[in-house]
């Protein structure tokens, strides 16, 4: 059996070694396709694969059509909006993610970005501190929970909105549950986005919510660019010169935003949240174990398609 690791943005070498060990110990062959530049490379490589490990790599119907032997795809990470689940199901392929394995890395980056924003992008002027500020966490999943844990160390007051998470779970973490999205934005100086990109959330954070933020509000997006209504964001930033937006993935209109709002926006050139060797090891090895468990024993505990 062949397991293809196809990563346009590669794992750290130490993680690849760990993945290799798991795959080869199971008696399977590891095939590595890193930093590929064309979709054709993926289409060619996937032809002989029984299992596939990816990151944000796009796996659409064309990939499933080409992958005649494919039985399982594991997205080494949390968000699986890059995989066409319906096409996977039509082809009888199991799709899984590795929830929680890279969440601390993303949560730490939230604070890297928050500090950068409140210190005025390190431009030499006096900024402000996170201590004493209010933080609103938009979705209390694995990343949101790590963000809450770290925020307490900074002395922030933390609240969270998550209609899919019971209030008790939020409260047990020492976080105040919030029940309306308007309140989340209205009541918090810093808002951190952790919603997945779904039909429900795409373009859902725009002008109306962003302009509810208090003076000097900072919006941090380490989730997905798709959840932002970019023209709404642009309008909000132009009307409110006190607001800042920092994101771990360039918006489609990044150039315009950088030009119009210099010093108030910052974007990583490539998604960096999960780019630590620890997260690569955790998510990569979990993915390898999940591929083996499925191919060998039919275990599909982390399946996301039915
Ligand atoms: C995730 O959904 O797990 C994160 O966005 C990380 O994505 P990446 O593996 O492409 O860095």
């Amino acid at each position: 059996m062949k397991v293809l690791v196809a990563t346009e943005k590669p794992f750290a070498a130490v993680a690849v070694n760990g993945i290799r060990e798991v795959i080869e110990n199971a008696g399977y062959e590891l095939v590595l396709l890193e930093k590929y530049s064309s979709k054709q490379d993926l289409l060619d490589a996937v032809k002989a694969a029984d299992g596939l490990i990816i990151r944000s790599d796009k796996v659409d119907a064309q990939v499933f059509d080409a992958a005649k032997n494919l039985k399982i795809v594991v997205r080494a990470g949390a968000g699986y909006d890059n995989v066409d689940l319906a096409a996977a199901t039509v082809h009888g392929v199991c799709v899984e993610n590795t929830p929680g394995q890279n969440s601390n890395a993303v949560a730490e980056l939230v604070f890297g970005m928050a500090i950068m924003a409140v210190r005025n992008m390190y431009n030499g002027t006096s900024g402000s501190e996170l201590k004493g500020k209010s933080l609103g966490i938009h979705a209390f999943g694995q990343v949101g929970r790590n963000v809450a844990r770290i925020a307490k160390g900074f002395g922030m007051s933390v609240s969270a909105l998550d209609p899919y998470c019971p209030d008790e779970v939020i409260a047990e973490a020492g976080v105040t549950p919030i029940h309306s999205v308007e309140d989340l934005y209205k009541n918090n100086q810093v808002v951190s986005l952790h919603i997945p990109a779904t039909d429900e959330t795409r373009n859902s954070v725009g002008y109306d919510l962003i302009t509810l933020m208090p003076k000097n509000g900072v919006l941090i997006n380490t989730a997905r660019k798709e959840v932002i209504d970019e023209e709404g964001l642009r309008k909000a930033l132009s009307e409110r010169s006190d607001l800042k937006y920092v994101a771990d993935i360039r918006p489609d209109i990044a150039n315009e935003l950088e030009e119009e709002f210099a010093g108030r926006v910052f974007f990583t050139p490539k998604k960096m949240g999960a780019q630590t060797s620890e997260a690569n090891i955790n998510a990569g090895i979990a993915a390898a174990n999940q591929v083996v468990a499925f191919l060998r024993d039919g275990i599909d505990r982390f399946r996301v398609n039915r």
Side-chain angles (χ1 to χ4, degrees):
M1 295 247 204
K2 286 189 197 321
V3 178
L4 173 67
V5 174
T7 46
E8 186 272 320
K9 185 176 62 186
F11 292 117
V14 60
V16 176
N17 292 340
I19 294 168
R20 183 183 298 284
E21 205 179 302
V22 172
I23 300 298
E24 291 182 352
N25 282 347
Y28 303 150
E29 185 189 335
L30 179 95
V31 182
L32 205 52
L33 176 70
E34 291 182 321
K35 289 190 198 169
Y36 55 95
S37 49
S38 83
K39 187 173 182 188
Q40 193 56 49
D41 294 343
L42 176 60
L43 292 173
D44 291 342
V46 87
K47 267 187 198 142
D50 297 277
L52 173 63
I53 296 174
I54 51 158
R55 295 184 64 178
S56 289
D57 306 78
K58 205 167 169 47
V59 178
D60 58 14
Q62 205 188 354
V63 176
F64 285 111
D65 286 340
K68 300 285 181 235
N69 296 340
L70 195 62
K71 297 156 192 71
I72 179 161
V73 177
V74 180
R75 190 282 191 246
Y80 45 85
D81 47 302
N82 49 321
V83 182
D84 184 335
L85 296 188
T89 303
V90 166
H91 285 80
V93 177
C94 170
V95 180
E96 301 187 0
N97 65 348
T98 66
Q101 300 290 349
N102 61 16
S103 48
N104 181 66
V106 180
E108 287 191 13
L109 185 68
V110 168
F111 291 89
M113 299 190 110
I115 291 175
M116 186 175 179
V118 297
R119 296 295 181 110
N120 300 333
M121 313 298 183
Y122 309 127
N123 71 358
T125 63
S126 286
S128 66
E129 302 180 16
L130 293 179
K131 186 178 178 187
K133 281 196 170 53
S134 51
L135 170 70
I137 300 177
H138 195 161
F140 205 62
Q142 303 276 356
V143 181
R145 290 167 208 211
N146 277 288
V147 168
R149 170 180 57 78
I150 300 169
K152 283 194 234 141
F154 276 99
M156 303 182 85
S157 60
V158 189
S159 55
L161 170 84
D162 193 332
Y164 301 100
C165 179
D167 276 3
E168 304 84 72
V169 173
I170 296 177
E172 265 165 33
V175 174
T176 306
I178 289 196
H179 301 109
S180 97
V181 69
E182 287 78 17
D183 285 346
L184 184 82
Y185 285 77
K186 202 166 20 178
N187 298 338
N188 288 292
Q189 294 156 297
V190 181
V191 172
S192 189
L193 287 171
H194 301 292
I195 42 180
T198 63
D199 289 345
E200 191 191 345
T201 63
R202 256 177 223 105
N203 298 318
S204 66
V205 178
Y207 178 83
D208 291 347
L209 289 178
I210 297 168
T211 49
L212 288 176
M213 291 189 77
K215 193 165 164 47
N216 299 327
V218 174
L219 180 60
I220 304 171
N221 183 4
T222 56
R224 291 289 182 273
K225 68 175 179 183
E226 289 81 3
V227 303
I228 297 284
D229 164 12
E230 295 188 357
E231 284 306 330
L233 167 72
R234 187 181 191 169
K235 190 164 172 238
L237 288 171
S238 77
E239 282 181 21
R240 289 272 309 273
S241 61
D242 58 304
L243 295 179
K244 295 198 182 90
Y245 178 65
V246 285
D248 182 28
I249 184 79
R250 286 179 74 75
D252 292 335
I253 57 165
N255 291 344
E256 290 90 327
L257 296 178
E258 283 167 340
E259 205 178 295
E260 288 167 37
F261 311 114
R264 295 167 51 210
V265 295
F266 171 79
F267 314 120
T268 52
K270 226 174 211 220
K271 189 150 53 108
M272 292 298 297
Q275 240 357 15
T276 66
S277 47
E278 293 91 335
N280 290 172
I281 291 167
N282 292 343
I285 293 179
N289 281 321
Q290 287 171 221
V291 167
V292 170
F294 185 81
L295 292 177
R296 199 178 50 197
D297 305 316
I299 295 170
D300 64 352
R301 181 168 163 222
F302 295 102
R303 188 177 195 126
V304 294
N305 67 324
R306 293 286 159 196

